[in-house]
Amino acid sequence: MSRNPPSRPTRDDFRQALNDMGTYIDVSIDDLMEITTMAERHARQRETEAYRIDTLMSQPVITVHPETSLAEAAHEMVTRRISGLPVVDADGRLVGVLTEADLLRALGVPSHHPTHNLWQTLEAMFAHTLRPQPPEGSVAALMVTDIVTVSPDQTLHEALDLMKKHRIKRLIAVNEQRQPVGMITRSDLVRVFFDRIRGHSE
């Protein structure tokens, strides 16, 4: 059952509150209303930024090994509908990451370019005249080893800063042994945003 959102105080509410205090305060009602609005905004921002990565990340993590074939890795991405695969060694420690963009480039298919919008990218892909064949070789040949990671106990604010700073779409959460325990993507952050909207409307 949905609940009505809390009523926002009106000018009369503030005037009555001042009268209830029974003392003089050198502040106008407009100032009080503005302070209240700003405080509510900061409270909402603090609530969002305090979310821990381990409450937002997708898990369990699907991983591959450096010796995994590119064809197998591509199959994992397609069947599981994921856009990135952490690459781990024999001890499960993170050593790289393979993305769908890496595979597309290996096939000679144009992937998303920063100056293109989504529709331009899709048009370029479907207009491509080559007939892509299953990629040959192993994951080790294409994986990126310069990886940005986060700890599960870091916050949403820190994740946003890292994504913005490094211009990346995903972060891999690792434990103290550098083993992947989750992933957080831009889609996860969008989900948090819409969950907050739904929460305020219920």
Side-chain angles (χ1 to χ4, degrees):
M1 180 178 180
S2 62
R3 62 181 185 276
N4 293 326
S7 300
R8 288 185 56 81
T10 66
R11 178 180 296 272
D12 286 338
D13 293 326
F14 281 101
R15 183 178 292 109
Q16 184 61 53
L18 287 174
N19 291 335
D20 290 344
M21 292 182 68
T23 184
Y24 176 75
I25 300 178
D26 188 17
V27 61
S28 70
I29 291 176
D30 287 337
D31 289 338
L32 282 175
M33 295 178 72
E34 182 177 358
I35 290 171
T36 300
T37 299
M38 294 172 63
E40 289 173 345
R41 183 173 67 248
H42 285 299
R44 288 193 300 269
Q45 182 177 350
R46 184 182 69 253
E47 176 189 7
T48 300
E49 293 177 351
Y51 286 147
R52 284 167 48 113
I53 298 298
D54 55 8
T55 67
L56 306 173
M57 65 189 188
S58 302
Q59 52 184 327
V61 185
I62 308 302
T63 62
V64 292
H65 297 280
E67 62 273 17
T68 301
S69 71
L70 289 173
E72 183 180 346
H75 177 74
E76 288 286 346
M77 287 186 182
V78 171
T79 57
R80 298 181 183 273
R81 297 183 179 182
I82 53 180
S83 60
L85 286 169
V87 186
V88 299
D89 62 15
D91 295 318
R93 291 188 297 261
L94 184 67
V95 294
V97 63
L98 180 72
T99 70
E100 60 184 7
D102 298 325
L103 285 171
L104 288 173
R105 282 192 294 269
L107 292 170
V109 179
S111 57
H112 183 68
H113 190 277
T115 61
H116 291 180
N117 61 35
L118 175 61
W119 298 112
Q120 288 174 313
T121 299
L122 289 173
E123 287 173 357
M125 289 176 64
F126 284 105
H128 202 56
T129 56
L130 295 180
R131 304 176 72 87
Q133 300 297 316
E136 298 181 354
S138 67
V139 167
L142 290 184
M143 70 180 191
V144 175
T145 57
D146 184 15
I147 320 160
V148 181
T149 63
V150 290
S151 170
D153 59 3
Q154 287 184 263
T155 66
L156 171 62
H157 178 69
E158 292 170 308
L160 287 169
D161 280 348
L162 285 171
M163 285 185 174
K164 181 170 62 175
K165 177 181 178 181
H166 297 279
R167 298 183 179 181
I168 53 180
K169 301 177 182 179
R170 68 183 61 78
L171 289 167
I172 302 173
V174 296
N175 60 20
E176 294 180 355
Q177 291 73 43
R178 199 170 170 75
Q179 297 167 330
V181 294
M183 290 187 69
I184 183 166
T185 66
R186 289 192 303 189
S187 297
D188 295 318
L189 302 183
V190 170
R191 174 173 52 80
V192 173
F193 175 75
F194 282 112
D195 282 348
R196 288 185 63 226
I197 292 179
R198 183 176 61 184
H200 284 299
S201 64
E202 291 179 348

